[in-house]
């Protein structure tokens, strides 16, 4: 290792030798950095799963443009939209087709006492162009009171829905209605509820008698091929300018929902805060380690300075230490995080997984914060006369 | 200034130095004038606190010069830039009272540091050069020892090797023999004296050792921050 570094750095790997000469401190330092990395990874994982859960709900559907109430912040949020807006929008050039979407909440009390909070999405399931990629078994929905349920809903026993089909549905009761779970899809729970249930618009209105077919939650539109969803959305928005509605392309609606969830909702803010705290803890740990290390070797460094070594040499030694600490802390942190993620995903049903982007982001962040603290720790040396440091 | 004086490696004129600020300010050097010739072994003697170390560190670019002039190898140190100071330091060798070896580096690696400061162009020769000088100082069997495994005298010899390995033009030594047993102390000074004759290496050394004083070309005596006697 020393030879490798000697060759690579073109100088004596003092930082490395210094770090490994005190094994205990090196171990503590690596553990500290790893700890900070794990902290940041967990927070980023939660935040990522939060965005991912928000985003994945939209995979039930497929559309180019979405019209929602002006107070709407997400799929399950906001006032109703008058169905009349749909007819107005259909008259806008470039719009090919449109359907109303209904969203509601219900509970399913299982025999064993587990209560699932289900988000119910209802729409005309015969309109296949609006059906999202996850709903493969949509053909059963037109049957009265037949539903599809997310097999990864929180609170389900493993494999509980494995064998349901149109021929052997699982009968459940919700909102005083007998419902036949006749098919499944795989989405994963979100923060808003335990899982999703898909029904036809007719079933939805039976489940929620207070809701009217004239007042859906959202309106989905598809544009003519060759039309740009953003352009069409802008045209519809111009036409509906006087109404309290929000017209956005579907992808824009998703991104705004994610942004809202992660930056405006307390949960999202807490994770952001957690990332900041993790980074801060990492900075403090590494700064402590490196500044102690610099202080311990001050007279040795002063000797090097007296020999004619430049400030850049000392910076590169501390950088060397910082990078080594970053790597040494990062690698075990990744391994530990993979374990933590899988435990968290099992326990919560949330889609928590490591991504390359996140791993690289954290690695860069670690190296950067380590280097910053290293350079900070070095200030004392660069400004002093060597003779005062012996 | 005579032509010969301008070629002297060390020319000190009107040097004053004080420590501390304001009312706590204490002057330690007073109007020092001295010229030191190339290739000579000059010793600095005087009672404790007379300013020997202060003068040595000022001449050796280890302290900022407050007042007066030090011309080292033709360069003025007063007000010199960091760059000039760094380049100058590379042409000097230091042997300190404390050995100041890097505890995480072996004897060989410590000596190597005296070469690496000159860049990496000849790095393949560094280990051989460092080994050679350590062998000369009788440490051939201690090359890969960490300082913690060496005796005080051995450590000091490593420090001597580190100072000399880069072929410095001037060597400054502050009581180097304090930690050395008399024989190795003399041996080290013998090497310095031979380097002076062979390569013209100039040595300035603080010492109280009589046997070394006998070998010196010149003795400067300091008292209360002044040079009181020159032979
Ligand atoms: N860094 C410092 N700060 C303040 N005063 C100092 C400092 N270094 C030296 N002095 C003072 O300057 C004076 C000269 O010190 P110096 O170290 O040059 O003496 P010296 O001749 O080398 O003594 P010794 O033989 O004990 O090493 C002393 O009075 C000392 O107390
Ligand atoms: Mg002294």
């Amino acid at each position: 290792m020393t030879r490798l570094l000697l060759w690579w750095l073109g100088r004596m790997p003092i930082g490395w030798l210094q770090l490994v000469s005190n094994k205990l401190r090196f171990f503590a330092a690596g553990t500290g950095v790893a700890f900070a990395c794990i902290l940041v990874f967990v927070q980023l994982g939660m935040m990522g799963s939060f965005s991912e859960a928000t985003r994945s709900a939209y995979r039930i559907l497929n559309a180019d443009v979405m019209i929602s109430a002006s107070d709407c912040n997400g799929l399950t949020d906001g006032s109703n939209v008058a169905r009349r807006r749909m007819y107005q929008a259909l008259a806008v050039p470039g719009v090919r087709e449109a359907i109303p979407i209904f969203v509601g909440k219900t509970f399913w009390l299982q025999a064993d006492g587990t209560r699932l909070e289900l988000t119910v999405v209802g729409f005309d399931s015969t309109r296949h162009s609006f059906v999202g990629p996850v709903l493969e078994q949509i053909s059963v929905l037109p049957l009265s009171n037949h539903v599809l349920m997310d097999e990864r809903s929180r609170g389900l026993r493993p494999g509980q829905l494995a064998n349901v089909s149109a021929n052997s549905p699982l009968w459940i009761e919700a909102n005083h209605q007998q419902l036949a779970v006749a098919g499944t899809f795989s989405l994963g729970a979100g923060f808003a509820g335990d899982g999703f249930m898909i029904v036809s618009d007719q079933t939805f209105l039976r489940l929620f008698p207070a809701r009217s077919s004239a007042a859906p939650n959202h309106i989905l539109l598809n544009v003519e091929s060759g039309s740009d969803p953003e352009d069409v959305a802008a045209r519809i928005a111009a036409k509906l300018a006087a109404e309290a509605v929000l017209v956005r392309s579907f992808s824009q609606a998703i991104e705004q929902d994610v942004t809202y969830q992660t930056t405006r909702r307390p949960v999202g803010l807490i994770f952001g805060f957690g990332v900041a705290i993790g980074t801060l803890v990492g900075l403090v740990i590494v700064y402590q380690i490196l500044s102690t290390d610099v202080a311990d070797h001050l007279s040795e460094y002063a000797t090097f300075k007296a020999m004619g070594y430049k400030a850049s040499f000392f910076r590169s030694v501390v950088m060397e230490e910082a990078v080594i600490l970053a790597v040494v802390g990062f690698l075990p942190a990744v391994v530990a995080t993979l374990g933590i993620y899988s435990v968290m995903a099992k326990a919560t049903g949330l889609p928590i997984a490591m991504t390359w982007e996140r791993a690289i982001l954290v690695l860069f962040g670690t190296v950067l914060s380590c280097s910053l603290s290293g350079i900070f720790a070095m200030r004392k040396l660069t400004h002093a006369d060597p003779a005062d440091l012996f | 200034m005579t032509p010969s004086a301008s070629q002297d490696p060390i020319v000190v004129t009107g040097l004053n130095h004080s420590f501390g600020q304001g009312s706590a300010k204490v002057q330690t050097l007073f109007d020092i004038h001295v010229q030191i010739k190339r290739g000579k072994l000059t010793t600095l003697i005087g009672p404790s606190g007379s300013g020997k170390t202060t003068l040595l560190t000022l001449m050796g670019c280890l302290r900022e010069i407050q007042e007066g002039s030090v011309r080292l190898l033709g360069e003025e140190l007063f007000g010199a830039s960091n760059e000039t100071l760094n380049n100058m330091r590379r042409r000097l060798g230091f042997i300190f009272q404390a050995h100041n070896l890097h505890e995480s580096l072996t004897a060989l690696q410590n000596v190597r540091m005296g070469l690496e400061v000159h860049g990496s162009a000849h790095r393949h020769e560094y280990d051989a050069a460092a080994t050679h000088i350590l062998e000369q100082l009788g440490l051939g069997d201690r090359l890969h020892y960490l300082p913690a495994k060496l005796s005080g005298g051995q450590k000091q010899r490593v420090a001597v090797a580190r100072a000399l390995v880069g072929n410095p033009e001037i060597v400054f030594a502050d009581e180097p023999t304090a930690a050395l047993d008399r024989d190795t102390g003399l041996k080290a000074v013998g090497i310095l004296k031979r380097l002076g004759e062979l390569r013209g290496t100039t040595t300035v050394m603080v010492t109280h050792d009589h046997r070394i004083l006998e070998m010196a070309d010149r003795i400067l005596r300091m008292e209360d921050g002044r040079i009181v006697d020159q032979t």
Side-chain angles (χ1 to χ4, degrees):
Chain A
M1 187 69 192
T2 303
R3 293 210 152 271
L4 185 75
L5 286 170
L6 177 66
W7 169 79
W8 188 54
L9 294 169
R11 63 165 171 80
M12 194 65 66
I14 303 216
W16 161 254
L17 291 169
Q18 232 160 260
L19 284 174
V20 295
S21 75
N22 191 338
K23 300 255 171 8
L24 193 68
R25 187 193 288 174
F26 188 38
F27 179 77
T31 314
V33 175
F35 176 75
C37 281
I38 292 172
L39 210 60
V40 170
F41 265 131
V42 168
Q43 300 298 329
L44 283 177
M46 297 290 274
M47 199 140 107
S49 80
F50 200 50
S51 320
E52 182 50 31
T54 307
R55 209 170 260 135
S56 76
Y58 288 86
R59 285 207 281 272
I60 297 166
L61 304 164
N62 182 37
D64 293 328
V65 177
M66 183 158 97
I67 303 177
S68 317
S70 55
D71 61 353
C72 161
N73 288 307
L75 201 57
T76 57
D77 183 52
S79 318
N80 301 336
V81 183
R83 191 175 45 185
R84 227 161 358 109
R85 308 287 163 254
M86 182 172 85
Y87 300 120
Q88 289 171 299
L90 278 168
V92 171
V95 176
R96 193 179 69 213
E97 51 180 356
I99 57 164
I101 297 283
F102 300 86
V103 182
K105 280 214 185 304
T106 188
F107 293 100
W108 167 29
L109 188 61
Q110 296 198 67
D112 64 2
T114 341
R115 206 172 79 134
L116 272 71
E117 185 186 342
L118 297 169
T119 305
V120 186
V121 179
F123 61 98
D124 182 355
S125 57
T126 59
R127 305 285 295 274
H128 288 281
S129 51
F130 289 101
V131 175
V134 294
L135 302 181
E136 290 163 3
Q137 301 173 22
I138 194 76
S139 55
V140 301
L141 281 195
L143 296 170
S144 173
N145 281 12
H146 277 46
V147 306
L148 299 180
M149 193 183 284
D150 184 356
E151 62 187 4
R152 286 167 60 198
S153 297
R154 197 183 295 126
L156 288 178
R157 292 188 300 280
Q160 191 176 358
L161 299 182
N163 297 317
V164 301
S165 70
N167 297 327
S168 65
L170 173 74
W171 286 94
I172 66 169
E173 194 194 305
N175 282 20
H176 312 293
Q177 297 276 326
Q178 293 296 317
L179 298 175
V181 181
T184 59
F185 55 95
S186 179
L187 209 60
F191 283 73
D194 295 318
F196 280 90
M197 187 161 85
I198 312 299
V199 301
S200 71
D201 47 353
Q202 297 310 315
T203 307
F204 185 92
L205 292 170
R206 216 169 301 133
L207 263 175
F208 300 93
R211 294 291 301 268
S212 147
S213 62
N217 293 73
H218 307 277
I219 292 159
L220 297 185
L221 304 105
N222 278 324
V223 301
E224 303 277 9
S225 61
S227 299
D228 178 37
E230 308 275 344
D231 290 348
V232 176
R235 258 176 273 157
I236 299 169
K239 180 162 184 182
L240 300 181
E243 317 298 339
V245 292
L246 210 53
V247 187
R248 297 168 296 183
S249 73
F250 200 56
S251 53
Q252 198 186 8
I254 297 172
E255 288 320 310
Q256 285 182 3
D257 190 357
V258 169
T259 309
Y260 173 78
Q261 298 289 340
T262 50
T263 62
R264 306 271 301 280
R265 291 274 311 280
V267 197
L269 281 176
I270 285 169
F271 296 143
F273 191 63
V275 172
I277 292 287
T279 311
L280 204 67
V281 166
L283 269 172
V284 170
I285 290 175
V286 178
Y287 177 72
Q288 277 301 324
I289 293 158
L290 290 181
S291 63
T292 320
D293 193 72
V294 169
D296 281 0
H297 293 94
L298 206 56
S299 69
E300 293 159 352
Y301 287 155
T303 308
F304 289 146
K305 192 172 177 183
M307 287 160 68
Y309 282 97
K310 291 191 219 144
S312 59
F313 166 80
F314 301 107
R315 271 200 296 276
S316 94
V317 169
V318 188
M319 289 288 275
E320 177 192 338
E321 291 193 295
V323 170
I324 291 170
L325 282 179
V327 172
V328 160
F330 175 80
L331 292 178
V334 170
V335 175
T337 302
L338 289 176
I340 294 174
Y341 276 1
S342 82
V343 169
M344 280 168 68
K346 269 209 195 81
T348 60
L350 290 168
I352 302 179
M354 181 65 88
T355 62
W356 280 109
E357 292 88 351
R358 189 180 305 149
I360 289 168
L361 182 80
V362 172
L363 177 60
F364 267 98
T366 315
V367 171
L368 190 75
S369 15
C370 288
S371 311
L372 270 181
S373 3
I375 286 174
F376 215 60
M378 211 53 171
R379 282 169 316 164
K380 194 168 173 185
L381 179 73
T382 40
H383 296 302
D385 273 344
D388 285 326
L389 299 175
F390 293 137
Chain B
M1 203 185 283
T2 62
S4 80
S6 69
Q7 280 158 23
D8 287 340
I10 306 174
V11 182
V12 180
T13 21
L15 183 68
N16 289 308
H17 197 83
S18 313
F19 286 109
Q21 301 281 323
S23 59
K25 192 162 158 174
V26 181
Q27 188 163 355
T28 46
L29 292 183
F30 298 87
D31 196 29
I32 305 280
H33 289 264
V34 69
Q35 295 182 4
I36 290 171
K37 295 227 176 315
R38 188 165 179 273
K40 301 294 185 206
L41 171 60
T42 304
T43 55
L44 213 50
I45 57 169
S48 180
S50 57
K52 305 180 297 289
T53 300
T54 311
L55 178 58
L56 206 68
T57 51
L58 283 168
M59 292 194 296
C61 312
L62 301 185
R63 238 181 235 299
E64 205 178 332
I65 292 165
Q66 298 168 345
E67 201 185 329
S69 150
V70 174
R71 290 189 73 83
L72 201 64
L73 300 165
E75 293 252 24
E76 176 58 58
L77 297 187
F78 179 77
S81 67
N82 273 336
E83 167 111 35
T84 311
L85 289 177
N86 267 322
N87 288 335
M88 187 57 71
R89 285 171 188 155
R90 292 175 191 197
R91 300 166 69 182
L92 312 176
F94 273 98
I95 305 166
F96 304 98
Q97 228 161 347
H99 57 81
N100 286 337
L101 295 180
H102 196 295
E103 292 295 332
S104 313
L105 302 184
T106 63
L108 184 69
Q109 289 169 335
N110 264 296
V111 176
R112 222 189 120 107
M113 290 306 292
L115 290 167
E116 284 195 0
V117 72
H118 298 290
S120 54
H122 300 283
R123 56 199 264 209
H124 303 295
E125 299 153 24
Y126 286 173
D127 276 350
T131 307
H132 179 71
I133 191 149
L134 281 167
E135 279 168 352
Q136 274 193 313
L137 285 161
L139 290 169
D141 54 345
R142 295 286 188 277
L143 297 179
H144 304 294
Y145 281 51
L146 288 172
K149 294 265 160 65
L150 296 173
S151 73
Q154 287 170 331
K155 280 190 264 204
Q156 190 63 325
R157 274 187 275 166
V158 176
V160 171
R162 180 179 60 185
L164 299 185
V165 71
N167 285 328
E169 292 164 65
I170 308 175
V171 175
F172 293 100
D174 195 350
E175 299 190 57
T177 48
L180 292 178
D181 59 273
R182 301 205 102 207
D183 285 345
T184 21
L186 277 180
K187 199 165 159 191
V189 178
I191 292 176
L192 284 171
K193 187 119 173 97
R194 212 168 59 243
L195 283 175
E197 281 151 17
L198 281 172
R199 302 204 190 111
T201 307
T202 309
T203 304
V204 183
M205 183 182 291
V206 178
T207 187
H208 292 109
D209 190 321
H210 286 291
R211 290 208 282 178
I212 293 173
L213 292 177
E214 278 164 27
M215 297 164 77
D217 296 305
R218 188 176 172 202
I219 299 172
L220 301 178
R221 176 177 230 351
M222 290 191 73
E223 250 165 51
D224 295 332
R226 293 186 171 82
I227 294 183
V228 292
D229 187 26
Q230 309 195 18
T231 55

